[in-house]
Amino acid sequence: MKAIVYEKTGPSSVMTLQDRPLPAPGPGQVRVRVVVSGVNPTDWKSRAGGGSGSRLGAPKVPNQDGAGVIDELGSGVPGLSVGDRVWLWDVAWGGTEGTAQEYVTVPAAQAVALPDMESFDTGASLGIPALTAHRALTASQDGPARLSPGALGGRVVLVTGGAGAVGHAAIQLARWAGATVIATVSGERKGELARRAGAHSVINYRTADVPRAVHEAAPGGVDTIVDVNAPANIGNDLKVVKPGGTISIYAANPGESLAIPIRESMGKNVRFQFILTYTVTEQQKAAAVAAVAEALKAGALRVGDEHGLPLTRFRLEETAAAHDAVEQGFVGKVLVDVSAA
């Protein structure tokens, strides 16, 4: 089979297309023929390794997310069958085998049913963005542990960076769960994408007074903030969050720090939740996977320009260019076509 492999960290050029043996699933595993691989910022950052050029202990295949078809079952796998369409999550975490290859073996729990009505593109776009968004939306101390229709009824959610992949998923999941959703963006094109994703109100933070605009949309303030850039937004966040509200922080640049205004945070009893989807508890991850699967089945998670998440795609041998596109800030989702559907 064909696979993208790198043996040391560094620029995208360290990745090469290689022939590898076809893997066999072990007990409790399934082998999936990968149709589409999704690329996230964590994928290129892991590959770059801080630019150190360190040689790895073993060759690595990149990319955490993907979608495909179960090709073979290991022993002791109930509920799944050869030929099932599935989406994959956290495939390369803690190991060397990602989705940028024609076949991959994963624990059965990491292969989740992809409804017949949904495309492999949708399946490959879930994973990290949707599971991160779910944790961000359920971080409130008095909120639901798992999203479902109505679970966020009566609540107001602010999504900063509403045109990004996590922001897009957060808007769609919050809408599905019954919240009123406000999104901030940096321009008109991104604003239109956030509206297509389902945001009730969209604010251009470059031209608007964000706190005033948020209070016009939600006079009582915001229950939960899903924040992509807390160092830049913390002042505004504290002005609009309700007493007892939650600020969920899921992104940072290397070495970046956050200066938290303590008295302002104390005065509102604000809860700060830092999020890395890989290291949430097993219960939190299981709740997120189940909720995302339910929302997907309900048609609440959609991708493509018409749904607020433009797609751009590359061939497997162009995975380096796909990583570069994400690193350079492509607005939308970057996908790699691995094999025929």
Side-chain angles (χ1 to χ4, degrees), residues 237-251:
D237 287 351
L238 290 171
K239 290 178 181 177
V240 302
V241 70
K242 289 181 180 179
T246 298
I247 302 175
S248 295
I249 299 166
Y250 66 88

Side-chain angles (χ1 to χ4, degrees), residues 32-120:
V32 176
R33 178 174 59 81
V34 181
V35 176
V36 181
S37 174
V39 185
N40 295 284
T42 187
D43 296 317
W44 74 259
K45 291 176 182 178
S46 175
R47 183 221 72 231
S52 61
S54 300
R55 185 159 293 277
L56 303 177
K60 182 162 184 172
V61 176
N63 299 358
Q64 301 285 351
D65 298 340
V69 179
I70 291 179
D71 168 75
E72 186 176 330
L73 301 176
S75 62
V77 177
L80 293 172
S81 302
V82 171
D84 285 353
R85 304 166 75 250
V86 293
W87 60 276
L88 307 172
W89 54 271
D90 286 14
V91 174
W93 175 249
T96 60
E97 302 301 316
T99 60
Q101 56 186 331
E102 291 179 320
Y103 293 86
V104 67
T105 59
V106 297
Q110 288 175 243
V112 188
L114 181 65
D116 290 340
M117 66 181 179
E118 292 297 346
S119 67
F120 291 112

Side-chain angles (χ1 to χ4, degrees), residues 264-297:
E264 292 84 348
S265 302
M266 290 171 56
K268 286 189 171 183
N269 283 281
V270 172
R271 180 186 183 93
F272 291 90
Q273 178 67 58
F274 295 89
I275 296 168
L276 181 66
T277 183
Y278 304 127
T279 55
V280 300
T281 68
E282 291 183 8
Q283 294 86 350
Q284 290 165 347
K285 181 58 70 70
V289 171
V292 168
E294 184 182 353
L296 183 65
K297 189 175 181 179

Side-chain angles (χ1 to χ4, degrees), residues 101-177:
Q101 56 186 331
E102 291 179 320
Y103 293 86
V104 67
T105 59
V106 297
Q110 288 175 243
V112 188
L114 181 65
D116 290 340
M117 66 181 179
E118 292 297 346
S119 67
F120 291 112
D121 290 353
T122 301
S125 300
L126 297 172
I128 288 171
L131 300 179
T132 297
H134 185 276
R135 177 62 189 135
L137 293 167
T138 57
S140 175
Q141 187 171 1
D142 61 349
R146 172 178 164 178
L147 296 182
S148 59
L152 297 179
R155 298 184 183 235
V156 180
V157 172
L158 171 63
V159 178
T160 70
V166 175
H168 174 266
I171 291 171
Q172 291 191 326
L173 284 171
R175 276 294 301 256
W176 173 69

Side-chain angles (χ1 to χ4, degrees), residues 182-247:
I182 305 168
T184 62
V185 296
S186 62
E188 290 302 319
R189 168 61 175 161
K190 291 182 178 179
E192 179 58 30
L193 294 176
R195 291 186 189 91
R196 293 177 187 176
H200 295 90
S201 302
V202 178
I203 300 166
N204 185 336
Y205 66 80
R206 295 191 187 278
T207 59
D209 180 322
V210 172
R212 177 180 296 178
V214 170
H215 283 300
E216 288 176 353
V222 173
D223 295 278
T224 299
I225 300 174
V226 182
D227 205 316
V228 68
N229 189 0
N233 297 330
I234 187 65
N236 286 339
D237 287 351
L238 290 171
K239 290 178 181 177
V240 302
V241 70
K242 289 181 180 179
T246 298
I247 302 175

